[in-house]
Protein backbone atom coordinates (compact mmCIF):
# COMPACT_ATOMS: atom_id res chain seq x y z
CA UNK A 1 0.00 0.00 0.00
CA UNK A 2 2.85 2.36 0.82
CA UNK A 3 4.36 1.64 -2.60
CA UNK A 4 1.09 2.66 -4.26
CA UNK A 5 0.97 5.92 -2.32
CA UNK A 6 4.58 6.69 -3.24
CA UNK A 7 3.92 5.87 -6.91
CA UNK A 8 0.87 8.14 -7.02
CA UNK A 9 2.81 10.92 -5.33
CA UNK A 10 5.63 10.59 -7.85
CA UNK A 11 3.12 10.54 -10.72
CA UNK A 12 1.55 13.74 -9.41
CA UNK A 13 4.94 15.46 -9.26
CA UNK A 14 5.84 14.33 -12.78
CA UNK A 15 2.48 15.32 -14.23
CA UNK A 16 2.73 18.70 -12.55
CA UNK A 17 6.15 19.21 -14.12
CA UNK A 18 4.88 18.20 -17.55
CA UNK A 19 1.98 20.63 -17.26
CA UNK A 20 4.44 23.52 -16.90
CA UNK A 21 6.89 22.34 -19.58
CA UNK A 22 6.59 23.56 -23.18
CA UNK A 23 4.70 21.25 -25.52
CA UNK A 24 7.72 20.65 -27.76
CA UNK A 25 9.83 19.55 -24.79
CA UNK A 26 7.06 17.25 -23.60
CA UNK A 27 6.74 15.62 -27.02
CA UNK A 28 10.51 15.12 -27.36
CA UNK A 29 10.72 13.63 -23.87
CA UNK A 30 7.78 11.33 -24.61
CA UNK A 31 9.44 10.17 -27.85
CA UNK A 32 12.74 9.48 -26.05
CA UNK A 33 10.95 7.46 -23.37
CA UNK A 34 8.96 5.53 -25.99
CA UNK A 35 12.14 4.63 -27.91
CA UNK A 36 13.87 3.63 -24.69
CA UNK A 37 10.97 1.37 -23.70
CA UNK A 38 10.86 -0.13 -27.20
CA UNK A 39 14.57 -0.97 -27.12
CA UNK A 40 14.18 -2.45 -23.64
CA UNK A 41 11.26 -4.62 -24.80
CA UNK A 42 13.20 -5.88 -27.83
CA UNK A 43 16.25 -6.72 -25.70
CA UNK A 44 14.10 -8.57 -23.18
CA UNK A 45 12.33 -10.52 -25.93
CA UNK A 46 15.66 -11.44 -27.51
CA UNK A 47 17.12 -12.47 -24.14
CA UNK A 48 14.08 -14.59 -23.33
CA UNK A 49 14.22 -16.37 -26.71
CA UNK A 50 17.95 -17.08 -26.42
CA UNK A 51 17.53 -18.37 -22.84
CA UNK A 52 14.75 -20.79 -23.78
CA UNK A 53 16.56 -22.12 -26.86
CA UNK A 54 19.72 -23.00 -24.92
CA UNK A 55 17.92 -24.91 -22.15
Amino acid sequence: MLFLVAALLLLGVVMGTVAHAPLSFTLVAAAVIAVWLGIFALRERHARRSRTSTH
Side-chain angles (χ1 to χ4, degrees):
M1 185 67 173
L2 186 60
F3 176 75
L4 181 62
V5 171
L8 288 173
L9 181 65
L10 183 62
L11 180 65
V13 169
V14 170
M15 292 304 292
T17 303
V18 169
H20 295 288
L23 181 61
S24 59
F25 174 78
T26 303
L27 293 176
V28 168
V32 168
I33 292 169
V35 168
W36 177 51
L37 289 174
I39 291 170
F40 177 77
L42 289 174
R43 289 181 64 200
E44 286 295 314
R45 177 178 288 180
H46 178 68
R48 185 170 294 154
R49 283 185 181 173
S50 63
R51 248 186 304 176
T52 56
S53 64
T54 58
H55 287 101

